[in-house]
Amino acid sequence: MIELLKPLFRGELAALGETLVCGDPAAPGLQPLAALLASRAALDALLARHAAFRRCDDLRPVASAWMLDYAGVLLPAVVAGASVLQHLFPVAAGSVALQLDGHARVRAVVIPTLGHAAPGQDSASRYGPLLDGHLAPLIARLSERVRLPEKLLWGSVSRWLEPILEQAAAAASGLPPLAALVAADHAYLLEQEKWPDGRRNPLFGRRKHAAPQGGQPGGHDKPMLLHRQCCLYYRLPGESHCGACPLSPALRRARGAALRDAA
């Protein structure tokens, strides 16, 4: 694990901090991210390997599942660095390489240097390399290749961002200046429809939201937390809708029961 991250990723969290590696992105056996984005053949080969692993011919749920896993590998260490340590790791697409397993799952992201400290920088400055330099081109490329809406892939990013930032807020709870910084990052990343420069925030509205669940014992409706978009995971063989899926048949049945009870 990168030495800087060790105080934040202890015990059961250690595995989350080990997925960002400082090394040579040009080393044999690694997949430079820039080459993956530039070459249709390279991206097709990756998706084909992952499709074989998922036993699915539809590349849309395959790409969605790959992106959801990838966000879980990339984000914990990078977000901890940006929000808690105020440190920028060099994660722009042109700088990094991916360590892939035999099924094209990303096991680690390799960065060329440790980057630099960024105390006092605002959220836009600290998160620009991740959002604009890494995630935006990757999501655009995947979306274009498999004809999957970008908002669905950004939704996979927000599903990881929210709990990571909540964990960061808990870690910073006894340090008011740091807690304020983490809260500002949360607001910037997930709560603003547009960023200060006027651009649309692709993460806004991708978080979970409250929805009524009918048919509860005693006749009470209990709020549920749902994802804004379905990630299509249920389209993979052997998988089903998650408990927070807005397309879940169980949710539709519950809503139907609530409507019948109300009538």
Side-chain angles (χ1 to χ4, degrees):
M1 189 188 303
I2 293 173
E3 195 69 25
L4 192 64
L5 295 171
K6 287 183 178 180
L8 301 180
F9 292 93
R10 296 174 176 173
E12 61 183 18
L13 297 178
L16 296 176
E18 293 170 350
T19 56
L20 189 70
V21 177
C22 186
D24 180 7
L30 299 179
Q31 172 64 67
L33 182 56
L36 189 65
L37 299 182
S39 169
R40 177 172 178 134
L43 183 59
D44 283 354
L46 179 146
L47 291 172
R49 284 164 59 194
H50 201 57
F53 167 67
R54 296 288 185 179
R55 297 176 290 112
C56 182
D57 294 329
D58 186 349
L59 290 183
R60 293 173 300 168
V62 169
S64 178
W66 185 88
M67 186 66 207
L68 187 61
D69 288 346
Y70 182 53
V73 170
L74 173 69
L75 293 179
V78 177
V79 172
S83 287
V84 180
L85 301 174
Q86 297 184 62
H87 183 92
L88 297 187
F89 293 112
V91 293
S95 302
V96 308
L98 310 180
Q99 184 184 95
L100 303 171
D101 69 8
H103 303 301
R105 293 176 294 185
V106 179
R107 291 314 192 192
V109 177
V110 180
I111 55 177
T113 70
L114 291 176
H116 63 276
Q121 290 193 13
D122 63 11
S123 301
S125 299
R126 283 180 287 106
Y127 276 93
L130 173 65
L131 298 177
D132 299 326
H134 189 122
L135 290 171
L138 174 59
I139 286 174
R141 189 72 182 91
L142 279 174
S143 173
E144 182 257 343
R145 175 61 191 90
V146 303
R147 298 184 179 182
L148 193 66
E150 288 191 22
K151 65 180 181 180
L152 190 151
L153 297 171
W154 281 108
S156 294
V157 174
S158 71
R159 291 185 194 192
W160 279 100
L161 271 178
E162 188 159 27
I164 292 170
L165 287 169
E166 288 175 352
Q167 182 74 25
S173 59
L175 302 168
L178 181 56
L181 182 74
V182 174
D185 288 345
H186 189 284
Y188 175 80
L189 293 168
L190 298 171
E191 299 172 16
Q192 300 183 54
E193 186 172 1
K194 290 186 177 181
W195 282 322
D197 62 6
R199 291 183 299 154
R200 183 182 66 85
N201 176 6
L203 295 166
F204 177 76
R206 313 300 178 216
R207 296 177 296 154
K208 299 176 181 180
H209 70 287
Q213 181 181 16
Q216 296 298 312
H220 299 292
D221 287 338
K222 185 177 181 180
M224 287 182 63
L225 294 176
L226 299 179
H227 297 305
R228 291 283 186 176
Q229 295 87 26
C230 171
C231 68
L232 305 183
Y233 208 78
Y234 75 96
R235 295 192 179 186
L236 297 172
E239 303 296 345
S240 60
H241 298 79
C242 72
C245 180
L247 300 183
S248 168
L251 176 66
R252 290 198 295 267
R253 288 194 297 268
R255 283 175 170 168
L259 289 174
R260 289 193 297 271
D261 291 344

